[in-house]
């Protein structure tokens, strides 16, 4: 497996390109200015699938363009999609025009994912782990053979995702990480949506947001 990280946009979102057996997957293409597409064209590469971990603009801004250009599916968490389309979301954080563009792309190319589902590309098999708290219901993807976790904005090196956005919840996020992510093998490499990579073991030992004291105070 070949893994490449390309930080894009003003928030320097980590867009991951994962290549295996001639297939290429783009995870969280969030630039909004076509940077990933330009990069792929320059390298004469194409993508076979687009994965979006959650419904924040800095993670999906280029998803529709990429998927349209290469005629690929867009994998997106189902419950997050339902929320994105809701009246509550439109009253709150989401720009109507952006939601419309994204909904159109999802209607044409969307593959909605749920907890426990497996997404297969060649020999790679990503298990969907849904977590609430950073957004309504984003997803992480765990690939056991390569021991990698695409963590979106749920878990970072030494930190966790912000929980002050719409439908955010510190309790949900910390409990979800402890229950669903910290049980993964300690040498699993965590590939977060921003910043450097880490491991499950390192976060178990040293992430201040996941300590027992924090849990008792929730
Ligand atoms: Zn986010």
């Amino acid at each position: 497996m070949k893994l490449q990280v390309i930080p894009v946009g003003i928030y320097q979102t980590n867009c991951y390109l994962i290549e295996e057996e001639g297939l290429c997957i783009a995870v969280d293409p969030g630039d909004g200015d076509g940077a990933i597409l330009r990069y792929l064209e320059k390298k004469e590469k194409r993508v076979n699938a687009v994965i979006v971990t959650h419904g924040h603009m800095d993670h999906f801004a280029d998803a529709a363009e990429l998927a349209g250009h290469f005629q690929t599916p867009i994998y997106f968490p189902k419950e997050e999609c339902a929320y994105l389309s809701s009246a509550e979301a439109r009253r709150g954080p989401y720009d109507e025009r952006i939601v419309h563009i994204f909904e159109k792309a999802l209607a044409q190319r969307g593959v909605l994912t749920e907890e426990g589902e497996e997404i297969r590309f060649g020999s790679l098999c990503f298990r969907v782990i849904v977590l609430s708290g950073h957004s309504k219901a984003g997803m992480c993807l765990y690939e056991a053979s390569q021991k990698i976790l695409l963590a979106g904005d749920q878990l970072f090196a030494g930190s966790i995702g912000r929980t002050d956005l719409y439908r955010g919840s510190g309790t949900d996020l910390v409990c979800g990480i402890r229950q669903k992510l910290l049980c993964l093998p300690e040498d699993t490499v965590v590939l977060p949506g921003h910043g450097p990579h880490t491991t499950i073991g390192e976060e178990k030992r040293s992430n201040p947001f996941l300590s027992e004291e924090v849990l008792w105070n929730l």
Side-chain angles (χ1 to χ4, degrees):
M1 183 191 78
K2 188 177 165 199
L3 177 73
Q4 198 174 358
V5 55
I6 307 173
V8 294
I10 56 169
Y11 297 108
Q12 290 289 278
T13 302
N14 288 335
C15 172
Y16 293 99
L17 296 178
I18 299 172
E19 293 178 69
E20 174 76 356
E21 297 174 354
L23 298 173
C24 180
I25 312 154
V27 182
D28 285 350
D31 171 60
D33 193 28
I36 297 298
L37 182 55
R38 287 197 299 279
Y39 173 85
L40 291 165
E41 285 182 334
K42 192 172 154 195
K43 299 286 180 185
E44 297 184 346
K45 292 182 180 194
R46 56 168 290 117
V47 294
N48 304 92
V50 174
I51 293 176
V52 177
T53 58
H54 65 290
H56 288 159
M57 269 297 292
D58 60 320
H59 291 255
F60 72 60
D62 276 350
E65 184 193 20
L66 262 192
H69 185 85
F70 293 110
Q71 302 284 294
T72 73
I74 302 174
Y75 292 86
F76 190 77
K78 186 176 184 178
E79 210 182 323
E80 187 94 322
C81 180
Y83 176 68
L84 205 79
S85 305
S86 70
E88 180 190 324
R90 283 160 192 271
R91 278 195 306 271
Y94 291 101
D95 180 292
E96 188 84 27
R97 183 182 59 86
I98 297 295
V99 170
H100 179 69
I101 292 169
F102 193 60
E103 276 183 339
K104 201 172 149 194
L106 277 184
Q108 291 167 356
R109 315 198 170 280
V111 179
L112 299 179
T113 58
E114 294 184 86
E115 176 74 28
E117 268 182 33
E118 293 179 339
I119 306 174
R120 292 177 185 273
F121 301 104
S123 60
L124 300 179
C125 177
F126 293 88
R127 177 163 58 86
V128 173
I129 301 170
V130 175
L131 286 182
S132 299
H134 171 65
S135 61
K136 169 73 173 130
M139 66 174 172
C140 299
L141 294 150
Y142 174 58
E143 211 293 323
S145 70
Q146 301 288 333
K147 288 189 176 173
I148 58 169
L149 177 77
L150 294 159
D153 283 356
Q154 320 286 353
L155 178 61
F156 298 121
S159 188
I160 60 172
R162 60 187 289 186
T163 57
D164 58 331
L165 300 171
Y166 267 70
R167 286 304 184 110
S169 160
T171 306
D172 288 353
L173 185 56
V174 169
C175 290
I177 291 170
R178 293 181 66 93
Q179 285 168 10
K180 295 183 176 183
L181 302 188
L182 297 191
C183 56
L184 297 174
E186 293 213 345
D187 57 350
T188 301
V189 175
V190 177
L191 303 169
H194 303 268
H197 62 80
T198 180
T199 64
I200 290 294
E202 180 60 29
E203 296 316 301
K204 248 182 177 173
R205 285 186 291 276
S206 64
N207 190 317
F209 294 90
L210 303 175
S211 70
E212 292 294 335
E213 294 86 48
V214 171
L215 193 64
W216 285 115
N217 285 327
L218 289 173

